[in-house]
PDB file of all heavy atoms in Angstrom:
ATOM      1  N   GLU A   1     -19.817  18.244   3.543  1.00  0.00           N
ATOM      2  CA  GLU A   1     -21.169  17.855   3.930  1.00  0.00           C
ATOM      3  C   GLU A   1     -22.115  19.051   3.926  1.00  0.00           C
ATOM      4  O   GLU A   1     -23.284  18.911   3.596  1.00  0.00           O
ATOM      5  CB  GLU A   1     -21.168  17.172   5.291  1.00  0.00           C
ATOM      6  CG  GLU A   1     -20.614  15.759   5.230  1.00  0.00           C
ATOM      7  CD  GLU A   1     -20.647  15.056   6.571  1.00  0.00           C
ATOM      8  OE1 GLU A   1     -21.302  15.566   7.503  1.00  0.00           O
ATOM      9  OE2 GLU A   1     -20.025  13.997   6.662  1.00  0.00           O
ATOM     10  N   LYS A   2     -21.604  20.233   4.274  1.00  0.00           N
ATOM     11  CA  LYS A   2     -22.445  21.431   4.251  1.00  0.00           C
ATOM     12  C   LYS A   2     -22.896  21.767   2.836  1.00  0.00           C
ATOM     13  O   LYS A   2     -23.970  22.303   2.634  1.00  0.00           O
ATOM     14  CB  LYS A   2     -21.704  22.615   4.871  1.00  0.00           C
ATOM     15  CG  LYS A   2     -21.588  22.534   6.366  1.00  0.00           C
ATOM     16  CD  LYS A   2     -20.932  23.779   6.929  1.00  0.00           C
ATOM     17  CE  LYS A   2     -20.837  23.693   8.428  1.00  0.00           C
ATOM     18  NZ  LYS A   2     -20.256  24.900   9.015  1.00  0.00           N
ATOM     19  N   LEU A   3     -22.052  21.459   1.852  1.00  0.00           N
ATOM     20  CA  LEU A   3     -22.432  21.684   0.458  1.00  0.00           C
ATOM     21  C   LEU A   3     -23.434  20.645  -0.002  1.00  0.00           C
ATOM     22  O   LEU A   3     -24.228  20.896  -0.892  1.00  0.00           O
ATOM     23  CB  LEU A   3     -21.200  21.632  -0.447  1.00  0.00           C
ATOM     24  CG  LEU A   3     -20.164  22.722  -0.244  1.00  0.00           C
ATOM     25  CD1 LEU A   3     -18.933  22.438  -1.106  1.00  0.00           C
ATOM     26  CD2 LEU A   3     -20.742  24.082  -0.582  1.00  0.00           C
ATOM     27  N   GLY A   4     -23.374  19.477   0.581  1.00  0.00           N
ATOM     28  CA  GLY A   4     -24.302  18.412   0.238  1.00  0.00           C
ATOM     29  C   GLY A   4     -23.879  17.642  -0.997  1.00  0.00           C
ATOM     30  O   GLY A   4     -22.863  17.933  -1.629  1.00  0.00           O
ATOM     31  N   GLN A   5     -24.671  16.633  -1.312  1.00  0.00           N
ATOM     32  CA  GLN A   5     -24.389  15.822  -2.482  1.00  0.00           C
ATOM     33  C   GLN A   5     -24.671  16.618  -3.756  1.00  0.00           C
ATOM     34  O   GLN A   5     -25.558  17.458  -3.788  1.00  0.00           O
ATOM     35  CB  GLN A   5     -25.236  14.544  -2.464  1.00  0.00           C
ATOM     36  CG  GLN A   5     -24.804  13.569  -1.389  1.00  0.00           C
ATOM     37  CD  GLN A   5     -23.364  13.105  -1.588  1.00  0.00           C
ATOM     38  OE1 GLN A   5     -22.937  12.782  -2.688  1.00  0.00           O
ATOM     39  NE2 GLN A   5     -22.605  13.108  -0.502  1.00  0.00           N
ATOM     40  N   MET A   6     -23.895  16.348  -4.773  1.00  0.00           N
ATOM     41  CA  MET A   6     -24.027  17.018  -6.063  1.00  0.00           C
ATOM     42  C   MET A   6     -24.162  15.963  -7.153  1.00  0.00           C
ATOM     43  O   MET A   6     -23.665  14.850  -7.012  1.00  0.00           O
ATOM     44  CB  MET A   6     -22.790  17.875  -6.358  1.00  0.00           C
ATOM     45  CG  MET A   6     -22.470  18.906  -5.318  1.00  0.00           C
ATOM     46  SD  MET A   6     -23.643  20.262  -5.433  1.00  0.00           S
ATOM     47  CE  MET A   6     -23.234  21.155  -3.949  1.00  0.00           C
ATOM     48  N   LYS A   7     -24.819  16.338  -8.241  1.00  0.00           N
ATOM     49  CA  LYS A   7     -24.937  15.426  -9.378  1.00  0.00           C
ATOM     50  C   LYS A   7     -23.684  15.445 -10.232  1.00  0.00           C
ATOM     51  O   LYS A   7     -23.302  14.437 -10.817  1.00  0.00           O
ATOM     52  CB  LYS A   7     -26.151  15.799 -10.230  1.00  0.00           C
ATOM     53  CG  LYS A   7     -27.461  15.589  -9.526  1.00  0.00           C
ATOM     54  CD  LYS A   7     -28.607  15.991 -10.419  1.00  0.00           C
ATOM     55  CE  LYS A   7     -29.923  15.873  -9.652  1.00  0.00           C
ATOM     56  NZ  LYS A   7     -31.051  16.333 -10.453  1.00  0.00           N
ATOM     57  N   LYS A   8     -23.071  16.624 -10.339  1.00  0.00           N
ATOM     58  CA  LYS A   8     -21.897  16.779 -11.192  1.00  0.00           C
ATOM     59  C   LYS A   8     -20.978  17.827 -10.579  1.00  0.00           C
ATOM     60  O   LYS A   8     -21.418  18.927 -10.262  1.00  0.00           O
ATOM     61  CB  LYS A   8     -22.332  17.199 -12.598  1.00  0.00           C
ATOM     62  CG  LYS A   8     -21.268  17.071 -13.637  1.00  0.00           C
ATOM     63  CD  LYS A   8     -21.851  17.299 -15.030  1.00  0.00           C
ATOM     64  CE  LYS A   8     -20.782  17.121 -16.068  1.00  0.00           C
ATOM     65  NZ  LYS A   8     -21.287  17.330 -17.415  1.00  0.00           N
ATOM     66  N   VAL A   9     -19.698  17.480 -10.434  1.00  0.00           N
ATOM     67  CA  VAL A   9     -18.743  18.370  -9.780  1.00  0.00           C
ATOM     68  C   VAL A   9     -17.537  18.584 -10.687  1.00  0.00           C
ATOM     69  O   VAL A   9     -17.004  17.624 -11.264  1.00  0.00           O
ATOM     70  CB  VAL A   9     -18.272  17.775  -8.429  1.00  0.00           C
ATOM     71  CG1 VAL A   9     -17.199  18.647  -7.794  1.00  0.00           C
ATOM     72  CG2 VAL A   9     -19.451  17.588  -7.490  1.00  0.00           C
ATOM     73  N   LEU A  10     -17.118  19.829 -10.799  1.00  0.00           N
ATOM     74  CA  LEU A  10     -15.889  20.212 -11.487  1.00  0.00           C
ATOM     75  C   LEU A  10     -14.971  20.825 -10.447  1.00  0.00           C
ATOM     76  O   LEU A  10     -15.351  21.769  -9.757  1.00  0.00           O
ATOM     77  CB  LEU A  10     -16.172  21.238 -12.590  1.00  0.00           C
ATOM     78  CG  LEU A  10     -14.966  22.005 -13.151  1.00  0.00           C
ATOM     79  CD1 LEU A  10     -14.035  21.064 -13.919  1.00  0.00           C
ATOM     80  CD2 LEU A  10     -15.433  23.138 -14.045  1.00  0.00           C
ATOM     81  N   ALA A  11     -13.769  20.277 -10.314  1.00  0.00           N
ATOM     82  CA  ALA A  11     -12.777  20.844  -9.393  1.00  0.00           C
ATOM     83  C   ALA A  11     -11.744  21.611 -10.213  1.00  0.00           C
ATOM     84  O   ALA A  11     -11.313  21.145 -11.270  1.00  0.00           O
ATOM     85  CB  ALA A  11     -12.098  19.730  -8.599  1.00  0.00           C
ATOM     86  N   ILE A  12     -11.354  22.793  -9.722  1.00  0.00           N
ATOM     87  CA  ILE A  12     -10.357  23.617 -10.406  1.00  0.00           C
ATOM     88  C   ILE A  12      -9.243  23.951  -9.407  1.00  0.00           C
ATOM     89  O   ILE A  12      -9.216  25.033  -8.827  1.00  0.00           O
ATOM     90  CB  ILE A  12     -10.987  24.902 -10.999  1.00  0.00           C
ATOM     91  CG1 ILE A  12     -12.170  24.544 -11.881  1.00  0.00           C
ATOM     92  CG2 ILE A  12      -9.937  25.694 -11.784  1.00  0.00           C
ATOM     93  CD1 ILE A  12     -12.913  25.725 -12.447  1.00  0.00           C
ATOM     94  N   PRO A  13      -8.339  23.001  -9.195  1.00  0.00           N
ATOM     95  CA  PRO A  13      -7.217  23.266  -8.291  1.00  0.00           C
ATOM     96  C   PRO A  13      -6.089  23.982  -9.031  1.00  0.00           C
ATOM     97  O   PRO A  13      -6.066  24.005 -10.262  1.00  0.00           O
ATOM     98  CB  PRO A  13      -6.774  21.853  -7.899  1.00  0.00           C
ATOM     99  CG  PRO A  13      -7.067  21.049  -9.127  1.00  0.00           C
ATOM    100  CD  PRO A  13      -8.340  21.641  -9.701  1.00  0.00           C
ATOM    101  N   PRO A  14      -5.136  24.544  -8.299  1.00  0.00           N
ATOM    102  CA  PRO A  14      -3.967  25.117  -8.976  1.00  0.00           C
ATOM    103  C   PRO A  14      -3.109  24.002  -9.576  1.00  0.00           C
ATOM    104  O   PRO A  14      -3.281  22.830  -9.255  1.00  0.00           O
ATOM    105  CB  PRO A  14      -3.227  25.849  -7.855  1.00  0.00           C
ATOM    106  CG  PRO A  14      -3.689  25.203  -6.603  1.00  0.00           C
ATOM    107  CD  PRO A  14      -5.080  24.707  -6.853  1.00  0.00           C
ATOM    108  N   ASP A  15      -2.190  24.378 -10.440  1.00  0.00           N
ATOM    109  CA  ASP A  15      -1.314  23.395 -11.084  1.00  0.00           C
ATOM    110  C   ASP A  15      -0.114  23.074 -10.198  1.00  0.00           C
ATOM    111  O   ASP A  15      -0.036  23.484  -9.044  1.00  0.00           O
ATOM    112  CB  ASP A  15      -0.896  23.872 -12.478  1.00  0.00           C
ATOM    113  CG  ASP A  15       0.071  25.044 -12.438  1.00  0.00           C
ATOM    114  OD1 ASP A  15       0.332  25.586 -11.349  1.00  0.00           O
ATOM    115  OD2 ASP A  15       0.577  25.422 -13.498  1.00  0.00           O
ATOM    116  N   PHE A  16       0.830  22.333 -10.756  1.00  0.00           N
ATOM    117  CA  PHE A  16       1.975  21.828  -9.992  1.00  0.00           C
ATOM    118  C   PHE A  16       2.861  22.938  -9.442  1.00  0.00           C
ATOM    119  O   PHE A  16       3.557  22.732  -8.450  1.00  0.00           O
ATOM    120  CB  PHE A  16       2.801  20.873 -10.858  1.00  0.00           C
ATOM    121  CG  PHE A  16       3.753  20.043 -10.057  1.00  0.00           C
ATOM    122  CD1 PHE A  16       3.304  18.987  -9.288  1.00  0.00           C
ATOM    123  CD2 PHE A  16       5.102  20.321 -10.066  1.00  0.00           C
ATOM    124  CE1 PHE A  16       4.171  18.219  -8.534  1.00  0.00           C
ATOM    125  CE2 PHE A  16       5.993  19.559  -9.319  1.00  0.00           C
ATOM    126  CZ  PHE A  16       5.517  18.509  -8.545  1.00  0.00           C
ATOM    127  N   THR A  17       2.821  24.122 -10.055  1.00  0.00           N
ATOM    128  CA  THR A  17       3.642  25.220  -9.531  1.00  0.00           C
ATOM    129  C   THR A  17       3.178  25.647  -8.139  1.00  0.00           C
ATOM    130  O   THR A  17       3.881  26.370  -7.453  1.00  0.00           O
ATOM    131  CB  THR A  17       3.630  26.447 -10.469  1.00  0.00           C
ATOM    132  OG1 THR A  17       2.297  26.951 -10.561  1.00  0.00           O
ATOM    133  CG2 THR A  17       4.158  26.087 -11.855  1.00  0.00           C
ATOM    134  N   ARG A  18       2.013  25.202  -7.727  1.00  0.00           N
ATOM    135  CA  ARG A  18       1.469  25.486  -6.395  1.00  0.00           C
ATOM    136  C   ARG A  18       1.362  24.192  -5.582  1.00  0.00           C
ATOM    137  O   ARG A  18       0.465  24.013  -4.764  1.00  0.00           O
ATOM    138  CB  ARG A  18       0.090  26.154  -6.490  1.00  0.00           C
ATOM    139  CG  ARG A  18       0.064  27.431  -7.299  1.00  0.00           C
ATOM    140  CD  ARG A  18       0.865  28.545  -6.617  1.00  0.00           C
ATOM    141  NE  ARG A  18       0.769  29.794  -7.335  1.00  0.00           N
ATOM    142  CZ  ARG A  18       1.659  30.218  -8.234  1.00  0.00           C
ATOM    143  NH1 ARG A  18       2.690  29.479  -8.548  1.00  0.00           N
ATOM    144  NH2 ARG A  18       1.510  31.378  -8.835  1.00  0.00           N
ATOM    145  N   PHE A  19       2.291  23.283  -5.814  1.00  0.00           N
ATOM    146  CA  PHE A  19       2.290  21.973  -5.168  1.00  0.00           C
ATOM    147  C   PHE A  19       2.134  22.081  -3.655  1.00  0.00           C
ATOM    148  O   PHE A  19       1.380  21.339  -3.037  1.00  0.00           O
ATOM    149  CB  PHE A  19       3.580  21.212  -5.516  1.00  0.00           C
ATOM    150  CG  PHE A  19       3.737  19.924  -4.782  1.00  0.00           C
ATOM    151  CD1 PHE A  19       3.036  18.803  -5.192  1.00  0.00           C
ATOM    152  CD2 PHE A  19       4.565  19.826  -3.676  1.00  0.00           C
ATOM    153  CE1 PHE A  19       3.159  17.606  -4.511  1.00  0.00           C
ATOM    154  CE2 PHE A  19       4.703  18.638  -2.989  1.00  0.00           C
ATOM    155  CZ  PHE A  19       3.995  17.526  -3.415  1.00  0.00           C
ATOM    156  N   HIS A  20       2.835  23.001  -3.028  1.00  0.00           N
ATOM    157  CA  HIS A  20       2.846  23.106  -1.568  1.00  0.00           C
ATOM    158  C   HIS A  20       1.577  23.729  -0.990  1.00  0.00           C
ATOM    159  O   HIS A  20       1.436  23.846   0.227  1.00  0.00           O
ATOM    160  CB  HIS A  20       4.083  23.879  -1.099  1.00  0.00           C
ATOM    161  CG  HIS A  20       5.348  23.156  -1.446  1.00  0.00           C
ATOM    162  ND1 HIS A  20       5.727  21.996  -0.821  1.00  0.00           N
ATOM    163  CD2 HIS A  20       6.293  23.399  -2.377  1.00  0.00           C
ATOM    164  CE1 HIS A  20       6.857  21.562  -1.330  1.00  0.00           C
ATOM    165  NE2 HIS A  20       7.231  22.400  -2.288  1.00  0.00           N
ATOM    166  N   SER A  21       0.623  24.075  -1.839  1.00  0.00           N
ATOM    167  CA  SER A  21      -0.632  24.665  -1.362  1.00  0.00           C
ATOM    168  C   SER A  21      -1.546  23.646  -0.687  1.00  0.00           C
ATOM    169  O   SER A  21      -2.533  24.021  -0.069  1.00  0.00           O
ATOM    170  CB  SER A  21      -1.383  25.292  -2.531  1.00  0.00           C
ATOM    171  OG  SER A  21      -1.870  24.256  -3.393  1.00  0.00           O
ATOM    172  N   GLN A  22      -1.235  22.378  -0.830  1.00  0.00           N
ATOM    173  CA  GLN A  22      -2.081  21.276  -0.338  1.00  0.00           C
ATOM    174  C   GLN A  22      -3.354  21.110  -1.167  1.00  0.00           C
ATOM    175  O   GLN A  22      -4.280  20.401  -0.763  1.00  0.00           O
ATOM    176  CB  GLN A  22      -2.422  21.434   1.153  1.00  0.00           C
ATOM    177  CG  GLN A  22      -1.205  21.453   2.059  1.00  0.00           C
ATOM    178  CD  GLN A  22      -0.391  20.169   1.967  1.00  0.00           C
ATOM    179  OE1 GLN A  22      -0.933  19.080   2.008  1.00  0.00           O
ATOM    180  NE2 GLN A  22       0.917  20.310   1.824  1.00  0.00           N
ATOM    181  N   ALA A  23      -3.417  21.747  -2.330  1.00  0.00           N
ATOM    182  CA  ALA A  23      -4.588  21.609  -3.194  1.00  0.00           C
ATOM    183  C   ALA A  23      -4.741  20.173  -3.687  1.00  0.00           C
ATOM    184  O   ALA A  23      -5.857  19.710  -3.912  1.00  0.00           O
ATOM    185  CB  ALA A  23      -4.490  22.560  -4.385  1.00  0.00           C
ATOM    186  N   GLY A  24      -3.631  19.473  -3.845  1.00  0.00           N
ATOM    187  CA  GLY A  24      -3.705  18.064  -4.250  1.00  0.00           C
ATOM    188  C   GLY A  24      -4.417  17.233  -3.206  1.00  0.00           C
ATOM    189  O   GLY A  24      -5.289  16.405  -3.529  1.00  0.00           O
ATOM    190  N   LEU A  25      -4.088  17.461  -1.946  1.00  0.00           N
ATOM    191  CA  LEU A  25      -4.744  16.751  -0.843  1.00  0.00           C
ATOM    192  C   LEU A  25      -6.228  17.102  -0.790  1.00  0.00           C
ATOM    193  O   LEU A  25      -7.088  16.215  -0.639  1.00  0.00           O
ATOM    194  CB  LEU A  25      -4.056  17.102   0.473  1.00  0.00           C
ATOM    195  CG  LEU A  25      -4.611  16.453   1.730  1.00  0.00           C
ATOM    196  CD1 LEU A  25      -4.479  14.936   1.660  1.00  0.00           C
ATOM    197  CD2 LEU A  25      -3.901  17.000   2.957  1.00  0.00           C
ATOM    198  N   LEU A  26      -6.541  18.378  -0.938  1.00  0.00           N
ATOM    199  CA  LEU A  26      -7.945  18.799  -0.929  1.00  0.00           C
ATOM    200  C   LEU A  26      -8.721  18.186  -2.092  1.00  0.00           C
ATOM    201  O   LEU A  26      -9.874  17.762  -1.935  1.00  0.00           O
ATOM    202  CB  LEU A  26      -8.046  20.324  -0.969  1.00  0.00           C
ATOM    203  CG  LEU A  26      -7.508  21.049   0.269  1.00  0.00           C
ATOM    204  CD1 LEU A  26      -7.495  22.549   0.039  1.00  0.00           C
ATOM    205  CD2 LEU A  26      -8.316  20.696   1.494  1.00  0.00           C
ATOM    206  N   THR A  27      -8.090  18.122  -3.258  1.00  0.00           N
ATOM    207  CA  THR A  27      -8.741  17.512  -4.420  1.00  0.00           C
ATOM    208  C   THR A  27      -8.964  16.024  -4.171  1.00  0.00           C
ATOM    209  O   THR A  27      -9.997  15.467  -4.571  1.00  0.00           O
ATOM    210  CB  THR A  27      -7.905  17.752  -5.690  1.00  0.00           C
ATOM    211  OG1 THR A  27      -7.707  19.160  -5.844  1.00  0.00           O
ATOM    212  CG2 THR A  27      -8.604  17.215  -6.922  1.00  0.00           C
ATOM    213  N   SER A  28      -8.031  15.373  -3.503  1.00  0.00           N
ATOM    214  CA  SER A  28      -8.199  13.961  -3.145  1.00  0.00           C
ATOM    215  C   SER A  28      -9.403  13.783  -2.217  1.00  0.00           C
ATOM    216  O   SER A  28     -10.167  12.829  -2.364  1.00  0.00           O
ATOM    217  CB  SER A  28      -6.947  13.418  -2.465  1.00  0.00           C
ATOM    218  OG  SER A  28      -5.866  13.419  -3.356  1.00  0.00           O
ATOM    219  N   PHE A  29      -9.573  14.698  -1.266  1.00  0.00           N
ATOM    220  CA  PHE A  29     -10.744  14.647  -0.382  1.00  0.00           C
ATOM    221  C   PHE A  29     -12.036  14.796  -1.187  1.00  0.00           C
ATOM    222  O   PHE A  29     -13.020  14.105  -0.936  1.00  0.00           O
ATOM    223  CB  PHE A  29     -10.687  15.737   0.685  1.00  0.00           C
ATOM    224  CG  PHE A  29      -9.627  15.553   1.730  1.00  0.00           C
ATOM    225  CD1 PHE A  29      -9.127  16.656   2.394  1.00  0.00           C
ATOM    226  CD2 PHE A  29      -9.117  14.306   2.057  1.00  0.00           C
ATOM    227  CE1 PHE A  29      -8.143  16.518   3.370  1.00  0.00           C
ATOM    228  CE2 PHE A  29      -8.145  14.152   3.030  1.00  0.00           C
ATOM    229  CZ  PHE A  29      -7.656  15.267   3.690  1.00  0.00           C
ATOM    230  N   ILE A  30     -12.016  15.726  -2.144  1.00  0.00           N
ATOM    231  CA  ILE A  30     -13.192  15.938  -3.001  1.00  0.00           C
ATOM    232  C   ILE A  30     -13.510  14.668  -3.775  1.00  0.00           C
ATOM    233  O   ILE A  30     -14.667  14.246  -3.865  1.00  0.00           O
ATOM    234  CB  ILE A  30     -12.966  17.133  -3.951  1.00  0.00           C
ATOM    235  CG1 ILE A  30     -12.944  18.431  -3.140  1.00  0.00           C
ATOM    236  CG2 ILE A  30     -14.033  17.193  -5.038  1.00  0.00           C
ATOM    237  CD1 ILE A  30     -12.445  19.633  -3.924  1.00  0.00           C
ATOM    238  N   TYR A  31     -12.482  14.037  -4.316  1.00  0.00           N
ATOM    239  CA  TYR A  31     -12.677  12.786  -5.065  1.00  0.00           C
ATOM    240  C   TYR A  31     -13.271  11.695  -4.165  1.00  0.00           C
ATOM    241  O   TYR A  31     -14.221  11.011  -4.550  1.00  0.00           O
ATOM    242  CB  TYR A  31     -11.349  12.325  -5.670  1.00  0.00           C
ATOM    243  CG  TYR A  31     -11.426  10.960  -6.291  1.00  0.00           C
ATOM    244  CD1 TYR A  31     -12.182  10.734  -7.435  1.00  0.00           C
ATOM    245  CD2 TYR A  31     -10.751   9.892  -5.721  1.00  0.00           C
ATOM    246  CE1 TYR A  31     -12.264   9.467  -8.006  1.00  0.00           C
ATOM    247  CE2 TYR A  31     -10.820   8.628  -6.283  1.00  0.00           C
ATOM    248  CZ  TYR A  31     -11.578   8.419  -7.416  1.00  0.00           C
ATOM    249  OH  TYR A  31     -11.663   7.173  -7.971  1.00  0.00           O
ATOM    250  N   LYS A  32     -12.751  11.543  -2.966  1.00  0.00           N
ATOM    251  CA  LYS A  32     -13.246  10.509  -2.050  1.00  0.00           C
ATOM    252  C   LYS A  32     -14.680  10.800  -1.608  1.00  0.00           C
ATOM    253  O   LYS A  32     -15.476   9.886  -1.430  1.00  0.00           O
ATOM    254  CB  LYS A  32     -12.336  10.396  -0.837  1.00  0.00           C
ATOM    255  CG  LYS A  32     -11.008   9.754  -1.164  1.00  0.00           C
ATOM    256  CD  LYS A  32     -10.090   9.744   0.039  1.00  0.00           C
ATOM    257  CE  LYS A  32      -8.724   9.213  -0.374  1.00  0.00           C
ATOM    258  NZ  LYS A  32      -7.714   9.377   0.672  1.00  0.00           N
ATOM    259  N   TYR A  33     -15.021  12.062  -1.450  1.00  0.00           N
ATOM    260  CA  TYR A  33     -16.361  12.419  -0.985  1.00  0.00           C
ATOM    261  C   TYR A  33     -17.399  12.310  -2.110  1.00  0.00           C
ATOM    262  O   TYR A  33     -18.460  11.725  -1.930  1.00  0.00           O
ATOM    263  CB  TYR A  33     -16.360  13.831  -0.402  1.00  0.00           C
ATOM    264  CG  TYR A  33     -17.696  14.224   0.181  1.00  0.00           C
ATOM    265  CD1 TYR A  33     -18.059  13.809   1.454  1.00  0.00           C
ATOM    266  CD2 TYR A  33     -18.588  15.003  -0.540  1.00  0.00           C
ATOM    267  CE1 TYR A  33     -19.287  14.155   1.997  1.00  0.00           C
ATOM    268  CE2 TYR A  33     -19.824  15.355  -0.003  1.00  0.00           C
ATOM    269  CZ  TYR A  33     -20.159  14.929   1.255  1.00  0.00           C
ATOM    270  OH  TYR A  33     -21.377  15.273   1.777  1.00  0.00           O
ATOM    271  N   TYR A  34     -17.089  12.884  -3.252  1.00  0.00           N
ATOM    272  CA  TYR A  34     -18.078  12.959  -4.328  1.00  0.00           C
ATOM    273  C   TYR A  34     -18.046  11.758  -5.277  1.00  0.00           C
ATOM    274  O   TYR A  34     -18.968  11.584  -6.065  1.00  0.00           O
ATOM    275  CB  TYR A  34     -17.920  14.261  -5.121  1.00  0.00           C
ATOM    276  CG  TYR A  34     -18.444  15.450  -4.360  1.00  0.00           C
ATOM    277  CD1 TYR A  34     -17.590  16.410  -3.868  1.00  0.00           C
ATOM    278  CD2 TYR A  34     -19.800  15.600  -4.123  1.00  0.00           C
ATOM    279  CE1 TYR A  34     -18.074  17.502  -3.158  1.00  0.00           C
ATOM    280  CE2 TYR A  34     -20.298  16.676  -3.419  1.00  0.00           C
ATOM    281  CZ  TYR A  34     -19.430  17.623  -2.937  1.00  0.00           C
ATOM    282  OH  TYR A  34     -19.925  18.689  -2.233  1.00  0.00           O
ATOM    283  N   LYS A  35     -17.004  10.973  -5.240  1.00  0.00           N
ATOM    284  CA  LYS A  35     -16.865   9.770  -6.065  1.00  0.00           C
ATOM    285  C   LYS A  35     -17.183  10.066  -7.529  1.00  0.00           C
ATOM    286  O   LYS A  35     -16.582  10.946  -8.126  1.00  0.00           O
ATOM    287  CB  LYS A  35     -17.704   8.648  -5.486  1.00  0.00           C
ATOM    288  CG  LYS A  35     -17.298   8.269  -4.072  1.00  0.00           C
ATOM    289  CD  LYS A  35     -18.210   7.221  -3.512  1.00  0.00           C
ATOM    290  CE  LYS A  35     -17.859   6.825  -2.106  1.00  0.00           C
ATOM    291  NZ  LYS A  35     -18.064   7.812  -1.094  1.00  0.00           N
ATOM    292  N   GLU A  36     -18.131   9.333  -8.111  1.00  0.00           N
ATOM    293  CA  GLU A  36     -18.413   9.482  -9.549  1.00  0.00           C
ATOM    294  C   GLU A  36     -19.054  10.813  -9.914  1.00  0.00           C
ATOM    295  O   GLU A  36     -19.127  11.174 -11.088  1.00  0.00           O
ATOM    296  CB  GLU A  36     -19.263   8.319 -10.075  1.00  0.00           C
ATOM    297  CG  GLU A  36     -20.652   8.238  -9.501  1.00  0.00           C
ATOM    298  CD  GLU A  36     -20.711   7.502  -8.154  1.00  0.00           C
ATOM    299  OE1 GLU A  36     -19.735   6.877  -7.743  1.00  0.00           O
ATOM    300  OE2 GLU A  36     -21.767   7.594  -7.521  1.00  0.00           O
TER     301      GLU A  36
END
């Protein structure tokens, strides 16, 4: 919310070798927040 709404978002999470980083969960939050 501090970043605010965006027109276009690119997420760059780590790959599967960093599975335990919780980046997948964070990316899911980004998807739910920013939608399309």
Side-chain angles (χ1 to χ4, degrees):
E1 286 182 12
K2 286 184 179 182
L3 295 174
Q5 290 299 316
M6 303 286 170
K7 293 179 184 176
K8 194 171 182 180
V9 176
L10 165 67
I12 306 177
D15 71 353
F16 195 74
T17 63
R18 303 293 184 265
F19 174 78
H20 296 289
S21 70
Q22 300 300 313
L25 180 62
L26 294 173
T27 304
S28 295
F29 291 154
I30 291 168
Y31 172 68
K32 288 176 185 171
Y33 184 81
Y34 285 111
K35 300 176 181 68
E36 65 276 349

